[in-house]
């Protein structure tokens, strides 16, 4: 596995003056609000506070990496801040460019679930989030990593990426809401699914599983909402791998219901693994596999290397926020 660029000395030398220029990367396709109204709210709040901001707006997710790289270059030249405006997928794309560059990272959540922003006490109201961003404090947070890709919330393979693909199709037809997400999940789970034959190597253990999906989570809020409360052996940050034993459609519906009721931890078909580093091998040794990373579907070479990268992202959070403790 490649060494993390966040290990460079500059990653731990970020300082805040409270007067930094904000370079904001915005995905106009994310969120529930009108893009123009969001931009106006951002500019008005920055102008009121006497802070300079530059909005870099893209219309497609594919354009986010280039826009993020541009924002990072400008922030490095001016000792500025890079801010991602959008859902968890947008935040992820911008984060890839920021980690290891010695640049503060801010977020203005605009998506449907906003797990990352909510975990760190960041408001989902744009005006309030901007005002809190302008007086924010700095906190280093840990990121998950799968191969060479960081993730803020989760990474998964098997059934879960299929759920996300179908959910996106339903959102395009019926709009973005949690009810649409639930409807698409019910339809997807009704179909036949192939099982994954996987081997998980972690902490000196070798564990073989047959499961429809594997989800590796880096977000305590998401875990709490589905009712998973693992107890790690020490105070270091960890990742949590979740898998289910081979089950039929009825049992999958039951797992979905238990997750909605925050009781998935009680399900006898759910396997939970707490780890810092894990290698995942797939049966029949396919060279490439489809992986969902914070909602974005990618193809990755196997075996998959999962790890927790300790406190590598200098995140701006509200001064009054009390973030949830990490798994």
């Amino acid at each position: 596995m490649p060494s993390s660029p966040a290990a460079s000395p500059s990653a731990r030398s970020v300082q805040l003056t409270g007067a930094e220029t904000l370079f904001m990367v915005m995905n106009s396709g994310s969120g529930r609000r009108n893009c123009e109204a969001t931009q106006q709210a951002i500019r008005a709040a920055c102008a009121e506070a006497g802070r300079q901001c530059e909005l870099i707006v893209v219309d497609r997710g594919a354009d986010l990496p280039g826009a993020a790289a541009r924002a990072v270059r400008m922030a490095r030249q001016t000792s500025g801040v890079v801010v991602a405006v959008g859902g968890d997928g947008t935040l992820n794309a911008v984060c890839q460019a920021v980690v290891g560059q010695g640049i503060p990272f801010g977020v203005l959540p605009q998506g449907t679930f906003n797990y990352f922003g909510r975990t760190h006490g960041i408001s989902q109201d744009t005006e309030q989030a901007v005002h809190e961003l302008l007086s924010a404090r700095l906190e280093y947070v840990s990121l998950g990593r799968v191969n060479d890709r960081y993730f803020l919330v989760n990474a998964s393979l098997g059934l879960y990426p299929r759920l996300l693909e179908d959910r996106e199709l339903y959102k395009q037809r019926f709009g973005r809401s949690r009810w649409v997400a639930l409807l698409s999940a019910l339809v997807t789970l009704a179909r036949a699914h192939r099982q994954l034959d996987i081997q998980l190597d972690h902490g000196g253990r070798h564990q073989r599983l047959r499961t429809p999906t594997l989800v590796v989570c880096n977000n305590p809020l998401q875990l709490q909402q589905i009712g998973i409360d693992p107890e790690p052996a020490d105070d270091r940050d960890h990742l949590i791998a979740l898998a289910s034993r081979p089950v039929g459609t009825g049992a999958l519906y039951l797992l979905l219901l238990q997750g909605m009721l925050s009781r998935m931890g009680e399900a006898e078909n759910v396997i939970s693994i707490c780890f810092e580093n894990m290698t995942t091998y797939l049966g029949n040794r396919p060279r490439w596999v489809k992986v969902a990373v914070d909602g974005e579907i990618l193809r990755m070479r196997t075996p998959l290397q999962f790890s927790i990268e300790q406190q590598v992202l200098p995140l701006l959070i509200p001064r009054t926020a009390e973030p949830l403790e990490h798994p």
Side-chain angles (χ1 to χ4, degrees):
M1 174 176 168
S3 61
S4 169
S8 64
S10 63
R12 299 295 298 184
S13 60
V14 177
Q15 300 291 328
L16 287 178
T17 66
E20 289 84 3
T21 299
L22 307 175
F23 297 96
M24 299 189 174
V25 181
M26 180 177 182
N27 183 0
S28 63
S30 290
R32 302 178 294 271
R33 294 190 52 176
N34 177 277
C35 180
E36 289 297 328
T38 300
Q39 292 181 56
Q40 291 175 9
I42 291 172
R43 290 193 174 99
C46 289
E48 180 183 343
R51 291 284 291 276
Q52 291 185 325
C53 75
E54 179 167 339
L55 275 165
I56 305 171
V57 182
V58 301
D59 298 323
R60 304 180 308 141
D63 296 328
L64 283 169
R70 177 185 167 196
V72 166
R73 286 195 300 270
M74 291 188 292
R76 286 181 65 89
Q77 292 169 0
T78 62
S79 298
V81 171
V82 172
V83 180
V85 185
D88 286 328
T90 299
L91 273 52
N92 177 289
V94 179
C95 167
Q96 307 302 315
V98 171
V99 176
Q101 299 301 315
I103 298 170
F105 180 60
V107 303
L108 296 179
Q110 298 286 302
T112 303
F113 293 97
N114 297 321
Y115 281 121
F116 184 74
R118 289 161 58 203
T119 294
H120 297 285
I122 298 170
S123 175
Q124 297 181 82
D125 177 79
T126 299
E127 290 86 352
Q128 181 178 342
V130 175
H131 284 295
E132 292 176 342
L133 178 69
L134 296 174
S135 61
R137 61 185 173 89
L138 195 65
E139 182 172 302
Y140 284 85
V141 301
S142 298
L143 300 178
R145 192 174 181 185
V146 52
N147 291 3
D148 61 353
R149 184 83 179 190
Y150 295 102
F151 58 94
L152 306 173
V153 180
N154 62 47
S156 59
L157 58 151
L159 175 59
Y160 196 69
R162 178 66 180 274
L163 285 166
L164 294 178
E165 288 180 317
D166 290 350
R167 187 178 76 186
E168 191 59 33
L169 292 175
Y170 270 69
K171 284 181 177 180
Q172 291 174 11
R173 292 181 60 186
F174 304 113
R176 294 180 177 272
S177 76
R178 300 190 182 195
W179 288 111
V180 171
L182 175 59
L183 174 62
S184 72
L186 292 173
V187 174
T188 304
L189 292 180
R191 302 170 186 162
H193 307 289
R194 77 179 179 89
Q195 303 293 320
L196 299 173
D197 290 306
I198 59 177
Q199 177 178 310
L200 307 178
D201 291 358
H202 57 94
R205 298 180 57 195
H206 308 286
Q207 190 169 357
R208 299 192 69 90
L209 294 175
R210 184 170 170 80
T211 179
T213 194
L214 176 71
V215 181
V216 177
C217 190
N218 182 48
N219 188 269
L221 177 60
Q222 187 178 51
L223 288 169
Q224 286 185 13
Q225 287 194 343
I226 63 176
I228 300 293
D229 186 24
E231 298 182 1
D234 54 52
D235 293 332
R236 288 173 60 84
D237 290 343
H238 293 74
L239 296 176
I240 307 299
L242 301 174
S244 75
R245 295 181 174 85
V247 293
T249 299
L252 287 174
Y253 280 139
L254 178 59
L255 286 176
L256 177 63
L257 177 61
Q258 288 174 308
M260 294 172 61
L261 296 175
S262 301
R263 296 177 59 182
M264 188 174 287
E266 302 174 12
E268 60 182 18
N269 288 320
V270 172
I271 300 165
S272 174
I273 302 168
C274 182
F275 69 93
E276 291 186 40
N277 295 277
M278 182 174 75
T279 303
T280 301
Y281 299 91
L282 275 74
N284 300 323
R285 301 190 179 278
R287 295 186 63 186
W288 297 89
V289 66
K290 189 179 293 186
V291 182
V293 181
D294 287 345
E296 180 183 0
I297 310 299
L298 307 172
R299 291 183 66 82
M300 292 190 169
R301 184 181 291 273
T302 62
L304 299 176
Q305 306 283 349
F306 290 96
S307 63
I308 183 76
E309 304 296 320
Q310 303 282 345
Q311 300 181 345
V312 293
L313 182 67
L315 179 68
L316 296 175
I317 66 172
R319 290 191 174 275
T320 58
E322 297 181 2
L324 296 176
E325 293 188 5
H326 203 280

